[in-house]
Amino acid sequence: MARKRRKDRKEEHVDESWLVPYADIMTLLLALFIVLFSSSSVDANKFQQLSGVFNQIFTGGAGVMDYPSPVPDSPDKKDPSADGAGKNEQGNLGQVEQKELSEIQEKVNVFIKNNQLNDKLGTSLTSGGLLLTIRDNVLFDSGSAEIRTENQGIAREISKLLVMDPPRSIVISGHTDNVPIQNARYDSNWDLSVMRSVNFMKILLENNGLNPKWFSAKGHGEFMPVSTNETEAGRAKNRRVEILIVPRNTIKQ
């Protein structure tokens, strides 16, 4: 009789205390998964679909997915249509600018060809803009920053090619080889390169069609060579004046 009573008592009081920690563990794991999932770059539509699936599985009471996500929307996320429009506009600006600079390059190349200056002047279209390179022996005597009188006409012809509508920033840069300068007027190649760029710029600005506010002059001395300084031919290439026509979309007006 006692055994029958103990058996009935066991059947009436089934121990379900293990469900509480089990439910807590499952909730914590689910919350961890949500945080990790939300922290990654996730498509919003897919996230909402996944949210609905979880809410259907865990029915009864408020679903975990019903609460706002603890991770805010990324500030980098934008309207796809607006972002695409911005990219297209930038791309069009780049294409237009490249076309305009190419047209200017063609005019300069015609000038070079007509004046038989192919071995003294050259052009290249770079990421920084249109670059016109002039060998120093076209304009200057050795160790001098004064443009030879007979060659000032070349500078004036180049100035006509720089009249543009709308105008662009133009940077004049002087460069030398690494042979130390030996005269009383210039202390270093740096001084010589600066004065060459300034004097060349002065000749250009005699053209009233050019606004001085768009121009600047630099001197790099021997520190930006384009060839080796170990040979005379290489040093001749390094002694140069460069005119950089800057793209309009990089100008701060």
Side-chain angles (χ1 to χ4, degrees):
M1 191 69 176
R3 290 180 180 177
K4 185 176 180 181
R5 290 177 180 175
R6 284 197 298 268
K7 184 177 180 181
D8 293 341
R9 190 179 298 114
K10 288 181 180 179
E11 291 177 352
E12 292 174 359
H13 302 283
V14 178
D15 187 8
E16 295 180 352
S17 59
W18 62 274
L19 290 174
V20 176
Y22 177 80
D24 291 340
I25 292 174
M26 292 301 295
T27 302
L28 290 174
L29 289 175
L30 179 59
L32 177 62
F33 174 79
I34 294 170
V35 172
L36 293 175
F37 192 82
S38 300
S39 300
S40 61
S41 178
V42 181
D43 182 84
N45 292 330
K46 292 182 178 180
F47 186 86
Q48 291 299 325
Q49 292 174 4
L50 184 62
S51 171
V53 171
F54 274 109
N55 282 327
Q56 291 176 7
I57 295 174
F58 295 96
T59 57
V64 176
M65 295 294 186
D66 290 336
Y67 294 96
S69 170
V71 180
D73 291 338
S74 171
D76 294 332
K77 291 183 179 180
K78 302 176 182 178
D79 182 5
S81 59
D83 188 53
K87 289 182 179 179
N88 290 335
E89 183 179 1
Q90 292 178 3
N92 291 334
L93 283 175
Q95 293 174 2
V96 171
E97 185 63 26
Q98 185 175 10
K99 182 177 181 295
E100 292 178 356
L101 290 177
S102 297
E103 292 174 352
I104 298 172
Q105 184 181 25
E106 290 179 8
K107 294 180 182 179
V108 177
N109 287 339
V110 170
F111 166 78
I112 293 173
K113 182 179 179 181
N114 292 341
N115 290 273
Q116 299 179 346
L117 296 171
N118 300 74
D119 60 335
K120 295 178 172 54
L121 280 71
T123 64
S124 59
L125 199 55
T126 70
S127 59
L130 175 59
L131 186 68
L132 170 61
T133 302
I134 309 170
R135 299 280 183 85
D136 75 328
N137 58 2
V138 177
L139 304 171
F140 308 99
D141 290 324
S142 178
S144 173
E146 301 299 326
I147 299 178
R148 291 190 295 263
T149 303
E150 61 270 25
N151 291 331
Q152 290 182 6
I154 295 178
R156 293 188 176 96
E157 288 298 322
I158 292 175
S159 74
K160 297 177 183 178
L161 300 172
L162 300 179
V163 177
M164 294 167 283
D165 185 22
R168 292 171 170 78
S169 287
I170 296 175
V171 182
I172 313 297
S173 301
H175 302 266
T176 70
D177 57 27
N178 66 345
V179 178
I181 190 166
Q182 297 178 352
N183 63 44
R185 191 164 187 179
Y186 305 107
D187 294 333
S188 67
N189 283 323
W190 217 329
D191 296 334
L192 178 62
S193 66
V194 170
M195 290 311 302
R196 282 183 169 178
S197 63
V198 169
N199 289 337
F200 181 75
M201 184 177 66
K202 287 180 180 178
I203 299 294
L204 295 179
L205 292 177
E206 290 178 2
N207 187 335
N208 293 328
L210 298 175
N211 191 331
K213 80 172 187 176
W214 298 105
F215 284 75
S216 60
K218 296 181 179 180
H220 297 283
E222 64 207 62
F223 301 105
M224 295 184 67
V226 294
S227 184
T228 177
N229 278 307
E230 300 300 320
T231 64
E232 178 54 38
R235 290 191 292 271
K237 291 181 180 180
N238 292 332
R239 299 190 299 267
R240 67 200 190 276
V241 173
E242 292 179 341
I243 304 172
L244 180 64
I245 303 175
V246 181
R248 285 190 291 111
N249 55 3
T250 64
I251 296 175
K252 295 180 180 180
Q253 301 188 19

